[in-house]
Amino acid sequence: MKTLSAKMLPLALSLALTLPVASASLPYMNHVASAHTLSVNSPASDLRADVDRLLGEHALLAILTMQKGINGSADFNDAAAALDKNSDELSDAIGSVYGKEAGNQFRVLWKKHIPFFVDYVKATAVNDEAGRKAAVDELVEYAGEFGAFLESANPNFKQADIVASLKGHVSTLISAFDKYHTKEYTAAYTSVREAYGHMFMTGDYLASGIAKQDPDKFNWSGTSRKASDLRIAVDRLLAEHGFLAALAMQKGLDGAPDFAAAAAALDQNSDELSDAIGSVYGKDAGDQFRTLWKKHIGFFVDYVTASAKKDEMGRKEAIDELTEYAGEFAAFLAGANPNLSKDALVKELGHHVGHLQQAFDSYAAKEYGNAYSSLRTAYSHMYMTGDFLSGAIVTQFNEKFHDAGMAASPKVWMKIGGSELMIDDKTVMMDTAPYMSGTHTYIPLRYLAEAIGAEVKWEESTRTIRVITGGNTATFWIDKDYMELNGERQAIGSPVMMKDSRTQVPLRFITELLGWDVKWNESDGSITLTKAMPMTSPAHSH
């Protein structure tokens, strides 16, 4: 139900009709969720995570493929094939929103830019500066074409924004590759991590635009900015860990000159993940996590070292160490958070170990197709682990992850034909009652608004009622099936009615437009509404 203009975000509205305002921030930044149902999941939050995951993987696979290409590695084609599969999955995701035809158009256009990177690598290999420049020029021109395509599909996308984002993508990938080629490995892996992180900004922009275009399908009910941000931060770091661990294991087996830099990047990732944990549980806990987390990376190094020496006993000992570690680490996390199951954590860590072991063993056996399939599985699995961990943290510290300006959710109870209105534990006696008109349920607006502090004004001459709160105004007219939010008209489903000298609005307006949760008790005709309220009015912005 798209009742607001494209520039208006469907912010959480209070029962007093606190109004949505134009905003340049992502939808999740303004969402308000119930204090009792706040989690990391919602259709829009899930969309954000999916788009970020695929774009982040694209950057990592693109860089790895460029490295393999300049080295003439035997697994280059399989790395490129993994990148191509990522492109297909990203295109399918777009197609699930805009239709198969649009997904196929996206696929063709998206894949068009990848060969330009290949051209850049080939030109670099033969010291062809003109060829390198031509490849970059092609990528810049492509950015405009791709930006125009997205802008035509969604009014929330602007070509200039897309072009700027793609130029950032090109810049970070080229930087990572150039530094790798000139053997500046530490700087190269700094750029690798920057390229990966940049794609999350791009992913957030795209997911935001899609959610704005179809807020009914991609609503933010049940989550918040802080909860969603935590989810993405943990997902991002864990998935990067999975990829960098697999990459470092390859480099270690090959005795590659950039092994130390790849391992250092993995270590930096561990520090950032530990800091994220410390931001929730405190510095001491973060430091404990750091020590314990880095412990398992050492066991993977032992596994690689043993494999290089064809030491089967050493390989087995490393896996046994990892198995024992899983129990130790799971006990640590479960002891810190009652929402985490030790058994479930041991299982998650077992999957992580298994995926990395499979990716490495396949690579060592030169079964490169299986190696890259397992690498992608290892990367994606860490998103599930991240959702699991971040969800448990938000459940444990629910109030901590409410956005600024959020208050506890009121519970509103009323009954068809009844004069009692209950706001939490407070009972208000009304001189009218909710009622049914045909298939529509109507509820009294004034009592609901005044009960939570909104100002209500009635103009007899025009039969107009205005609800004012936080500097915002909602205007209704008796017998009209539309209203105005700060002067902008929108439909409300069925006409506003006058009964018992009181303005009655359709319940559907509250439950659908405002996003309230409704529970019906058919046995007694009672209605229970729950929704969080902004404590203060959101600021206007563009």
Side-chain angles (χ1 to χ4, degrees):
M1 182 176 65
K2 299 174 182 176
T3 53
L4 299 181
S5 68
K7 69 177 182 178
M8 300 289 285
L9 295 180
L11 305 183
L13 305 180
S14 73
L15 194 55
L17 303 178
T18 300
L19 309 176
V21 294
S23 174
S25 59
L26 299 173
Y28 64 84
M29 290 185 174
N30 295 303
H31 177 73
V32 180
S34 166
H36 304 294
T37 60
L38 189 63
S39 74
V40 298
N41 297 105
S42 72
S45 181
D46 294 345
L47 172 70
R48 181 191 181 196
D50 287 342
V51 175
D52 283 351
R53 172 178 60 84
L54 289 167
L55 287 177
E57 185 188 41
H58 164 78
L60 293 173
L61 286 173
I63 291 170
L64 180 57
T65 301
M66 292 173 78
Q67 288 186 4
K68 300 292 183 178
I70 197 68
N71 292 338
S73 302
D75 56 328
F76 165 74
N77 288 334
D78 295 282
L83 178 59
D84 192 62
K85 289 176 182 176
N86 167 273
S87 297
D88 285 334
E89 290 180 19
L90 181 60
S91 302
D92 290 343
I94 296 298
S96 70
V97 176
Y98 293 101
K100 184 177 180 180
E101 183 178 351
N104 289 335
Q105 291 175 357
F106 180 93
R107 189 187 325 269
V108 171
L109 195 54
W110 178 258
K111 288 187 177 184
K112 184 176 178 180
H113 88 290
I114 296 174
F116 299 142
F117 283 114
V118 175
D119 292 342
Y120 188 85
V121 173
K122 289 180 178 179
T124 300
V126 295
N127 295 316
D128 178 7
E129 286 303 318
R132 283 159 53 95
K133 182 180 184 302
V136 171
D137 289 344
E138 291 276 19
L139 284 164
V140 171
E141 183 178 347
Y142 164 83
E145 181 182 2
F146 189 67
F149 169 76
L150 290 185
E151 185 177 72
S152 68
N154 187 325
N156 300 298
F157 296 147
K158 301 305 176 188
Q159 184 182 24
D161 294 337
I162 301 296
V163 168
S165 183
L166 283 174
K167 284 184 177 179
H169 174 52
V170 171
S171 175
T172 52
L173 286 190
I174 293 296
S175 175
F177 173 76
D178 284 348
K179 290 181 173 65
Y180 177 83
H181 178 60
T182 56
K183 298 180 172 47
E184 301 171 68
Y185 297 126
T186 298
Y189 281 96
T190 296
S191 293
V192 167
R193 299 198 67 214
E194 288 176 356
Y196 176 68
H198 175 267
M199 295 311 282
F200 282 73
M201 292 186 287
T202 302
D204 286 352
Y205 177 83
L206 295 178
S208 169
I210 293 171
K212 290 179 190 178
Q213 190 177 29
D214 194 350
D216 292 331
K217 183 176 181 180
F218 298 108
N219 65 78
W220 289 88
S221 178
T223 192
S224 69
R225 171 187 177 179
K226 290 182 179 179
S228 182
D229 284 351
L230 177 74
R231 174 189 184 179
I232 296 301
V234 175
D235 285 353
R236 176 179 62 82
L237 289 168
L238 285 177
E240 185 186 38
H241 162 79
F243 194 97
L244 288 176
L247 177 61
M249 291 172 78
Q250 285 188 11
K251 302 288 185 177
L253 181 67
D254 294 340
D258 59 319
F259 166 71
L266 178 61
D267 193 61
Q268 290 167 3
N269 167 275
S270 296
D271 285 336
E272 290 181 19
L273 180 61
S274 302
D275 290 343
I277 296 299
S279 70
V280 178
Y281 291 98
K283 186 177 185 300
D284 287 346
D287 290 341
Q288 291 176 37
F289 179 95
R290 188 187 327 270
T291 300
L292 198 53
W293 179 258
K294 289 187 177 183
K295 187 176 178 180
H296 89 291
I297 297 175
F299 298 142
F300 279 117
V301 173
D302 293 342
Y303 187 82
V304 173
T305 301
S307 295
K309 296 178 180 178
K310 301 188 184 306
D311 176 7
E312 286 303 317
M313 182 64 71
R315 282 162 52 95
K316 182 180 182 303
E317 288 179 356
I319 294 300
D320 289 344
E321 292 277 16
L322 284 164
T323 300
E324 182 178 347
Y325 164 82
E328 180 184 4
F329 189 64
F332 169 74
L333 292 183
N337 190 322
N339 302 293
L340 291 171
S341 159
K342 179 181 176 182
D343 290 342
L345 286 166
V346 168
K347 185 176 180 180
E348 285 293 305
L349 285 169
H351 287 316
H352 173 52
V353 171
H355 295 147
L356 288 183
Q357 182 185 6
Q358 181 63 43
F360 175 77
D361 286 349
S362 296
Y363 180 81
K366 297 180 170 47
E367 299 170 0
Y368 299 127
N370 289 335
Y372 283 99
S373 176
S374 296
L375 186 153
R376 295 196 68 216
T377 299
Y379 173 86
S380 295
H381 175 261
M382 296 309 280
Y383 272 80
M384 292 187 285
T385 303
D387 289 353
F388 176 57
L389 291 177
S390 60
I393 291 171
V394 168
T395 299
Q396 184 180 20
F397 302 107
N398 201 252
E399 291 301 326
K400 187 172 183 175
F401 288 94
H402 281 250
D403 292 336
M406 292 176 66
S409 170
K411 182 168 71 173
V412 179
W413 180 94
M414 64 194 78
K415 184 176 180 179
I416 299 296
S419 58
E420 289 187 356
L421 171 70
M422 293 184 65
I423 307 291
D424 291 329
D425 296 327
K426 178 183 178 182
T427 300
V428 176
M429 298 304 296
M430 303 181 291
D431 57 8
T432 186
Y435 69 98
M436 298 289 296
S437 177
T439 59
H440 298 290
T441 302
Y442 282 81
I443 55 178
L445 178 60
R446 177 177 289 271
Y447 282 101
L448 295 174
E450 290 184 344
I452 54 176
E455 180 183 5
V456 181
K457 293 184 178 181
W458 166 255
E459 295 180 5
E460 179 66 36
S461 60
T462 57
R463 292 167 64 83
T464 302
I465 187 169
R466 290 185 173 84
V467 179
I468 304 168
T469 180
N472 300 301
T473 302
T475 305
F476 301 85
W477 293 270
I478 302 302
D479 297 329
K480 302 297 184 183
D481 60 358
Y482 57 83
M483 63 167 295
E484 288 185 359
L485 297 177
N486 286 336
E488 184 161 348
R489 179 172 297 191
Q490 64 180 80
I492 60 174
S494 53
V496 174
M497 305 286 281
M498 176 69 79
K499 183 176 183 291
D500 300 329
S501 299
R502 295 295 184 188
T503 302
Q504 305 268 357
V505 295
L507 178 62
R508 180 180 177 185
F509 174 73
I510 299 296
T511 58
E512 290 189 8
L513 182 63
L514 304 188
W516 281 66
D517 296 323
V518 60
K519 290 185 179 180
W520 289 87
N521 187 331
E522 295 184 2
S523 63
D524 65 0
S526 64
I527 305 163
T528 302
L529 301 175
T530 56
K531 187 65 180 180
M533 303 187 314
M535 293 172 63
T536 59
S537 173
H540 291 260
S541 62
H542 293 291

